[in-house]
Amino acid sequence: PRFFPAEGLAPTDFQCFWAASKVALTDGPALVYDTGVFRAAQRALYGSEDARTCLFSYPPYSLLLFLPLSLLPYTALIVAWLAATATAYALAVRALLPGWVAVLPFLAFPATFLNAWFVQNGFLSAALLAAAAHFLAKRPVLAGI
């Protein structure tokens, strides 16, 4: 069963990372850069020949980060990724603002829903930026890292 309908759905970074992991583990890392093989893996994910696809435009060493991704089914991985990064985002914002009620507007921000729908890295990026802002005065080196 497909996770999303293929019609009208733009490819996501996460789709590309998962497909890269799947191709690298099943066919070998070099075939991640074979357009036909890589697009076929994405179309198989959506269960449609009409699915929009993306190209893997990351350097070969990035596969070390992405390799474990396809060990989980795509749907389970998306849920785990969004839960982990949204929690990190909420905790980092909470470190900046007093009380959990102050975090609610950040969770209700429209970009939050767009990030969740397209399964991007926005929660992770926002969490890292908020954490850096939190540590800036107390631990500037850590904030810079």
Side-chain angles (χ1 to χ4, degrees):
R2 7 184 232 219
F3 183 73
F4 290 116
E7 299 79 28
L9 182 67
T12 67
D13 282 345
F14 209 76
Q15 165 193 332
C16 291
F17 300 154
W18 190 89
S21 171
K22 192 62 142 178
V23 169
L25 288 174
T26 58
D27 302 322
L31 288 180
V32 169
Y33 298 98
D34 182 306
T35 305
V37 172
F38 192 64
R39 287 192 168 157
Q42 293 172 75
R43 288 185 179 115
L45 172 65
Y46 288 109
S48 170
E49 286 299 314
D50 298 328
R52 294 184 185 173
T53 60
C54 58
L55 296 176
F56 190 72
S57 58
Y58 298 90
Y61 63 82
S62 66
L63 285 172
L64 294 173
L65 295 173
F66 306 142
L67 215 51
L69 294 181
S70 72
L71 296 176
L72 284 176
Y74 188 66
T75 304
L77 188 61
I78 286 175
V79 170
W81 172 258
L82 289 174
T85 57
T87 299
Y89 169 56
L91 290 172
V93 170
R94 171 61 183 91
L96 291 174
L97 303 170
W100 280 103
V101 173
V103 175
L104 292 178
F106 287 91
L107 295 176
F109 184 59
T112 300
F113 299 104
L114 289 173
N115 178 70
W117 178 253
F118 289 108
V119 194
Q120 300 292 346
N121 66 359
F123 289 145
L124 179 61
S125 298
L128 292 172
L129 289 170
H134 172 72
F135 287 117
L136 192 58
K138 298 175 235 171
R139 300 184 69 189
V141 173
L142 178 62
I145 291 173

